[in-house]
Amino acid sequence: MTALYKQLTSAFPKLVFKQDEPLAPYTTVKIGGPAEVFCQVDTTKDLADLTIYAKQHALDITILGWGANTLIADRGIRGLVVKNTANAVAVLPSVPEGALSSRVVPRWDDTARQQHLPQKHVTHGEHVAVRVDAGTPLSYLINTLLQQNIVGLEWFARIPATLGGAIYNNIHGAHTFISDYIHSVEVVGEDGRIHTLPANKLAFAYDYSRFHHTNEVILSAILLLYKGNGTKALKQSIDWAKAKKHHPQNSLGCIFQNLSAQDQARLALPTPSVSYVIDQVLDLKGFTIGGARVSEKHAAFIENTANATADEYLAVIKHLQAVAREQSGVQLQPEIFFKGFTTDELAGVIHTDTYNTL
Ligand SMILES: Cc1cc2nc3c(=O)[nH]c(=O)nc-3n(C[C@H](O)[C@H](O)[C@H](O)COP(=O)(O)OP(=O)(O)OC[C@H]3O[C@@H](n4cnc5c(N)ncnc54)[C@H](O)[C@@H]3O)c2cc1C
């Protein structure tokens, strides 16, 4: 029995802790070694209490949502790993005061940006505010809201994620971002206290939020959504999900960010799509190391085809980056997160300081 396990079980006798729990099953790509100590929490209160305790006692703590964007090292993760499955969804009686005047205007209400929207956008009625736990799976959230004729999140259909993970990386679907719907987020701050942060303090950008650079833990968020026709919106979300059915599920989603406008112009490419670059420019579709393979269906995805290790998966990432650099002068920037790796193992892979190391 490790000292950490003993400490946590005696501090939280009602929670279930496991030692050396394999983490691969908690990820979409099914890769990764064990957690030193693991705990699944079903309520935001348990998540907050554990996080505050970890901060007060300087314990390493890692939060896992759906595990759809996280590559876990083969040696696993030291410290406490918390799988967040808290999933309360509550429609608020009214929109918080000042919420509409202080928000960033979303693109469907901004005439200059409307042309970038996909067709068949469901009509938005009056605003509705909804408080959602960070561990809520997006698919469950979308369906729960549509049953109550609350619309807006349809474009995120078929993205495997919890709301916390979606906010962390500001997910995108059909040219909309989750940040378009966020009013505020409740977090445990680095000071070990609970804070409410308004959306304009979250530094949202493409595949980015302030949470990349803080050790804050997201507990819940208030979303600003719309009344609308739930049946029509459900059809739209199903159609959209079908259009994405070629996305390989045994993966971590798109591994790299799309190209910058400068790189696209310099290489005279018809699209900034990183999938196009890997497939048409680098000719690396199907490239394989061990059980990790660049998908034949969508070249921006790396699949686990046969018990891939994290080392193999990382080796494919490094190979794609090296070939892109040598052949096209492009620096491919990962949009996934690495947990349990050393700084040396990730040298040259990440070009910001957004990763956790041992
Ligand atoms: C098949 C497939 C398709 C995908 N399609 C898309 C797509 O269309 N668009 C898109 O944007 N993404 C897509 N993704 C990527 C992925 O779904 C998103 O990045 C999603 O946000 C991951 O959420 P998660 O809950 O799985 O996060 P995790 O992988 O569990 O965690 C990701 C990061 O967030 C942190 N985190 C999670 N919860 C919290 C919390 N409560 N507080 C603080 N930190 C937290 C974790 O520590 C980690 O650093 C796809 C992935 C797959 C596998």
Side-chain angles (χ1 to χ4, degrees):
M1 196 185 286
T2 67
L4 179 63
Y5 177 81
K6 255 195 212 159
Q7 179 181 354
L8 288 167
T9 44
S10 86
F12 296 93
K14 290 196 179 141
L15 294 181
V16 177
F17 294 93
K18 296 178 182 173
Q19 294 183 88
D20 283 332
E21 173 76 353
L23 291 173
Y26 299 99
T27 69
T28 49
V29 77
K30 309 294 178 232
I31 290 177
E36 183 181 349
V37 178
F38 176 87
C39 183
Q40 180 165 325
V41 293
D42 300 331
T43 68
T44 288
K45 182 174 183 323
D46 286 342
L47 176 63
D49 289 349
L50 264 182
T51 307
I52 290 167
Y53 180 88
K55 288 191 186 298
Q56 283 169 347
H57 293 81
L59 305 179
D60 289 335
I61 177 168
T62 301
I63 311 297
L64 261 192
W66 199 257
N69 217 204
T70 303
L71 184 64
I72 296 171
D74 294 318
R75 70 171 74 79
I77 301 178
R78 264 202 344 227
L80 171 64
V81 175
V82 179
K83 159 89 180 156
N84 181 21
T85 54
N87 66 353
V89 176
V91 178
L92 300 184
S94 60
V95 171
E97 207 175 320
L100 301 180
S101 54
S102 64
R103 76 185 172 147
V104 177
V105 178
R107 64 197 64 215
W108 46 87
D109 291 345
D110 178 348
T111 39
R113 296 192 296 164
Q114 269 170 359
Q115 75 273 18
H116 298 300
L117 274 181
Q119 295 299 303
K120 293 192 284 182
H121 203 73
V122 173
T123 309
H124 288 156
E126 65 188 74
H127 281 93
V128 184
V130 186
R131 186 197 165 284
V132 184
D133 280 351
T136 309
L138 276 194
S139 53
Y140 168 79
L141 178 61
I142 294 169
N143 288 330
T144 303
L145 294 172
L146 291 182
Q147 281 164 17
Q148 300 175 65
N149 287 315
I150 297 173
V151 303
L153 299 181
E154 302 75 68
W155 300 116
F156 304 116
R158 212 186 163 97
I159 300 181
T162 59
L163 182 66
I167 292 171
Y168 186 96
N169 210 28
N170 195 14
I171 58 160
H172 43 92
H175 308 286
T176 69
F177 290 86
I178 198 77
S179 53
D180 289 325
Y181 303 90
I182 303 296
H183 166 264
S184 57
V185 172
E186 191 178 58
V187 301
V188 175
E190 288 172 339
D191 58 1
R193 291 162 179 265
I194 295 180
H195 300 273
T196 300
L197 306 172
N200 62 12
K201 296 274 184 235
L202 301 183
F204 279 126
Y206 174 56
D207 281 334
Y208 183 78
S209 74
R210 76 186 251 156
F211 301 109
H212 290 206
H213 289 287
T214 69
N215 286 317
E216 294 159 322
V217 170
I218 306 164
L219 300 176
S220 67
I222 293 179
L223 306 188
L224 273 184
L225 299 166
Y226 303 86
K227 290 202 172 145
N229 184 321
T231 311
K232 273 193 190 166
L234 177 63
K235 172 148 186 6
Q236 181 180 286
S237 91
I238 291 171
D239 288 349
W240 184 244
K242 275 189 197 151
K244 293 167 63 170
K245 68 174 186 297
H246 62 290
H247 286 184
Q249 299 299 305
N250 52 341
S251 73
L252 291 172
C254 208
I255 296 295
F256 302 108
Q257 292 178 359
N258 283 334
L259 264 56
S260 65
Q262 293 89 321
D263 275 341
Q264 184 191 348
R266 184 173 58 76
L267 298 167
L269 299 177
T271 161
S273 157
V274 75
S275 174
Y276 179 92
V277 173
I278 294 170
D279 180 5
Q280 300 291 319
V281 180
L282 308 177
D283 196 19
L284 283 171
K285 221 179 193 179
F287 176 79
T288 303
I289 296 179
R293 179 178 67 192
V294 177
S295 172
E296 298 280 358
K297 296 185 214 150
H298 191 314
F301 287 57
I302 301 173
E303 296 173 90
N304 175 5
T305 57
N307 300 321
T309 63
D311 284 347
E312 290 165 355
Y313 205 88
L314 183 59
V316 174
I317 292 174
K318 286 182 175 175
H319 182 75
L320 294 178
Q321 288 182 311
V323 177
R325 217 166 24 238
E326 283 155 23
Q327 292 190 11
S328 309
V330 170
Q331 185 62 69
L332 294 179
Q333 170 71 23
E335 63 173 50
I336 63 170
F337 302 97
F338 299 87
K339 304 284 184 192
F341 293 88
T342 63
T343 311
D344 282 352
E345 286 165 337
L346 295 176
V349 174
I350 306 188
H351 306 285
T352 63
D353 54 351
T354 60
Y355 56 93
N356 282 4
T357 55
L358 281 177

